[in-house]
């Protein structure tokens, strides 16, 4: 997906890797808030940002705890979506 690896939860995209960044699905409100955090940028690889998604740059993923934090945030949002 997007030229990288993507992981699904209940048939919905959850997180993935694009180049050296982590794509994280958070929903529109949480994604907007996450953009205020360090090492987080809009998920925009085509010139059109994907709403509800952010990309966490490598400096924000240096430890297992940092990675787990972002994955958990995405899982919590994706679990609210209807199963596919």
């Amino acid at each position: 997906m997007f030229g990288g690896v993507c992981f699904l939860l209940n048939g919905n995209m959850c997180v993935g890797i694009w180049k050296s960044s982590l794509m994280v699905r958070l929903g529109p409100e949480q994604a907007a808030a996450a953009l205020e955090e360090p090492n987080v940028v809009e998920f925009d690889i085509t010139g059109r940002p994907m709403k509800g998604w952010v990309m966490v740059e490598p400096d924000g993923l240096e430890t297992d705890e940092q990675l787990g934090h972002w994955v958990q945030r995405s899982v919590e949002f994706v679990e609210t979506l209807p199963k596919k």
Side-chain angles (χ1 to χ4, degrees):
M1 191 72 181
F2 306 105
V5 176
C6 186
F7 295 91
L8 305 176
L9 178 63
N10 298 322
N12 293 294
M13 291 192 308
C14 188
V15 296
I17 302 296
W18 188 76
K19 294 190 178 182
S20 60
S21 296
L22 180 70
M23 304 178 302
V24 183
R25 188 175 191 179
L26 298 173
E29 291 177 20
Q30 289 186 45
L35 289 172
E36 302 297 320
E37 299 180 41
N39 305 304
V40 179
V41 298
E42 277 187 317
F43 179 28
D44 181 2
I45 60 174
T46 65
R48 292 184 61 192
M50 274 186 78
K51 292 182 181 181
W53 287 80
V54 297
M55 290 181 39
V56 182
E57 297 174 327
D59 287 344
L61 301 166
E62 292 179 332
T63 67
D64 290 344
E65 290 78 18
Q66 288 173 309
L67 174 61
H69 167 78
W70 287 106
V71 171
Q72 184 59 39
R73 284 174 71 171
S74 184
V75 165
E76 288 172 6
F77 171 73
V78 174
E79 284 180 331
T80 69
L81 301 173
K83 294 179 183 180
K84 291 186 177 182

